[in-house]
Amino acid sequence: MKFSKVTKSPVYAQGHKWAFEKRKGEYESDVTAMLRGMLEDDAIREDQRAAWERWRNDDSGIKNP
């Protein structure tokens, strides 16, 4: 599948600090909490969804050259 329209990935300023809050009452690492918080951003969520679709539908890795 060819993707003629590739979305631009969101760009954040260098040194951008992600605000995140760990879940209460259960263990959650800082990294997991930060990633969960990042996916609450619509631009990041859409970018990751599009990247997953491109990867999932790319059959170039299984074709013989």
Side-chain angles (χ1 to χ4, degrees), residues 7-54:
T7 59
K8 292 282 265 181
S9 295
V11 177
Y12 297 91
Q14 184 176 355
H16 178 79
K17 301 289 185 192
W18 291 98
F20 63 90
E21 188 173 322
K22 293 170 130 182
R23 292 180 179 159
K24 304 288 187 228
E26 57 188 271
Y27 174 77
E28 183 174 44
S29 71
D30 289 345
V31 173
T32 303
M34 183 183 72
L35 290 174
R36 188 174 44 78
M38 289 173 72
L39 289 175
E40 292 172 358
D41 183 323
D42 291 336
I44 292 174
R45 186 174 46 246
E46 179 58 27
D47 181 60
Q48 291 303 301
R49 188 203 57 77
W52 167 250
E53 289 295 325
R54 284 193 307 270

